[in-house]
Amino acid sequence: MDPSSEPATGYLITKLGQAITARFTERLRGLDIRPRHFGLLVALANSPAGSQKDLGRVIGIVPSAIVLILDDLEARGAVARVIDPGNRRRFVVELTTAGRALLADASRIGAEVDDEILGALTPDERRSLHESLGRIVPTT
Amino acid sequence: MDPSSEPATGYLITKLGQAITARFTERLRGLDIRPRHFGLLVALANSPAGSQKDLGRVIGIVPSAIVLILDDLEARGAVARVIDPGNRRRFVVELTTAGRALLADASRIGAEVDDEILGALTPDERRSLHESLGRIVPTT
DNA sequence: TATTGTTATACTCTATAACTATA
DNA sequence: TATAGTTATAGAGTATAACAATA
């Protein structure tokens, strides 16, 4: 209750999330992407056949921001914008082979960061933490 | 491992932290402050007699940003900048009675957000989550 | 007229550097 | 000259609104 003696759980989660993001951002520099690019790659892997607008809705990013992230990823050949023949206003965004490799590399880095941050927990605690989080995080 | 089937724990923590921050920010609007003001109030309650530079170091904010947050809080009478008699370049920042009330109100809101987000967990899971997090979050 | 993607613009946040006053 | 606080400025990130092409 008293924040000076016992921080709220939400406060701890937020602080930890910021620390993880900072470290992940730093490690991703070797791949020349940032977490937002990773998030989009993950969303693409999960729902491969979406339009840009669909993608934005899934990860909670506004369409004009999607454009900029896709520009980066397309320039390095990680994604392809293919015109939807049935509706020529839309692009169907596809993950390329290079994009899948990039996603794999970034995922590995994410797993490393996880290990560094969560290494202080016992395997049981870590499993329990993951399971609890999975239950309360909006499914995306 | 595969992000399409099993998101990393760090990814879940980050997403959850963002959701909590968004909700907390929205709820704090009634008090006319933002999370950064709350963080500064918490830091003040924990180390009451610091200079502005000390404060910034504690919560990881650069001195020029501290100035702006303190301007807001001072304008509403939540904190007072008192010149350090021993070194007239420094201010000792103090939490006022109104500031303590503001901190209490904001803390209550934080607890409400916690309840909303963590309500899906059993009390045991929630305790366990809090304890695990407390062990790996940088002490601030 | 509505929708998809894009571009232009503005607003917030944050950080760096210049400035002042004290030391 | 060094330091605490402040101010000015610039950069990244994000959101809103205007625009072009298509429906």
Side-chain angles (χ1 to χ4, degrees):
Chain A
M1 319 296 175
D2 180 354
S4 66
S5 62
E6 184 67 9
T9 305
Y11 184 80
L12 293 178
I13 293 170
T14 302
K15 281 289 172 200
L16 190 56
Q18 289 167 349
I20 290 170
T21 298
R23 188 174 296 211
F24 190 44
T25 301
E26 180 60 33
R27 299 299 176 79
L28 282 181
R29 286 183 60 190
L31 298 178
D32 199 31
I33 59 173
R34 276 152 296 160
R36 43 203 286 94
H37 301 93
F38 175 69
L40 188 38
L41 292 173
V42 171
L44 271 176
N46 290 346
S47 51
S51 69
Q52 296 185 196
K53 199 173 183 185
D54 296 334
L55 268 176
R57 206 176 315 113
V58 166
I59 55 181
I61 295 183
V62 87
S64 61
I66 295 285
V67 170
L68 302 178
I69 305 172
L70 283 181
D71 284 350
D72 293 338
L73 291 173
E74 192 179 37
R76 63 145 64 200
V79 304
R81 288 192 248 224
V82 182
I83 293 175
D84 181 347
N87 182 345
R88 303 213 323 283
R89 288 174 303 189
R90 309 171 83 218
F91 288 116
V92 173
V93 183
E94 293 177 354
L95 207 52
T96 65
T97 302
R100 263 180 285 273
L102 179 60
L103 173 58
D105 286 343
S107 297
R108 182 177 36 74
I109 290 174
E112 288 169 8
V113 171
D114 263 25
D115 288 344
E116 293 163 13
I117 299 283
L118 306 174
L121 301 178
T122 69
D124 268 357
E125 284 172 325
R126 189 167 166 176
R127 260 189 299 275
S128 168
L129 173 68
H130 186 91
E131 199 263 329
S132 292
L133 290 171
R135 200 123 49 78
I136 57 184
V137 173
T139 47
T140 293
Chain B
M1 321 300 173
D2 180 356
S4 67
S5 62
E6 184 67 9
T9 305
Y11 184 81
L12 293 178
I13 292 170
T14 302
K15 280 289 171 202
L16 189 56
Q18 289 168 349
I20 290 170
T21 298
R23 190 175 295 211
F24 190 44
T25 301
E26 180 59 34
R27 299 296 176 81
L28 283 180
R29 287 184 60 189
L31 299 178
D32 199 31
I33 59 174
R34 276 151 296 160
R36 40 198 295 100
H37 301 94
F38 175 68
L40 188 38
L41 291 174
V42 171
L44 271 176
N46 290 347
S47 51
S51 68
Q52 296 185 196
K53 200 172 182 184
D54 296 335
L55 269 176
R57 207 174 315 114
V58 167
I59 55 181
I61 296 183
V62 87
S64 62
I66 295 284
V67 171
L68 302 177
I69 305 173
L70 284 181
D71 285 350
D72 293 338
L73 292 174
E74 192 179 38
R76 63 146 64 200
V79 305
R81 288 191 246 225
V82 183
I83 292 175
D84 181 346
N87 182 346
R88 304 213 321 283
R89 287 174 304 191
R90 308 172 83 219
F91 288 118
V92 174
V93 183
E94 293 176 355
L95 207 53
T96 66
T97 302
R100 263 180 285 273
L102 180 60
L103 174 57
D105 286 343
S107 297
R108 182 177 37 73
I109 290 174
E112 288 170 6
V113 172
D114 264 26
D115 288 343
E116 293 164 12
I117 298 284
L118 306 173
L121 301 178
T122 70
D124 268 357
E125 284 172 325
R126 190 166 164 177
R127 260 189 298 276
S128 168
L129 173 67
H130 187 90
E131 199 262 330
S132 292
L133 289 171
R135 201 125 48 78
I136 56 183
V137 173
T139 49
T140 294

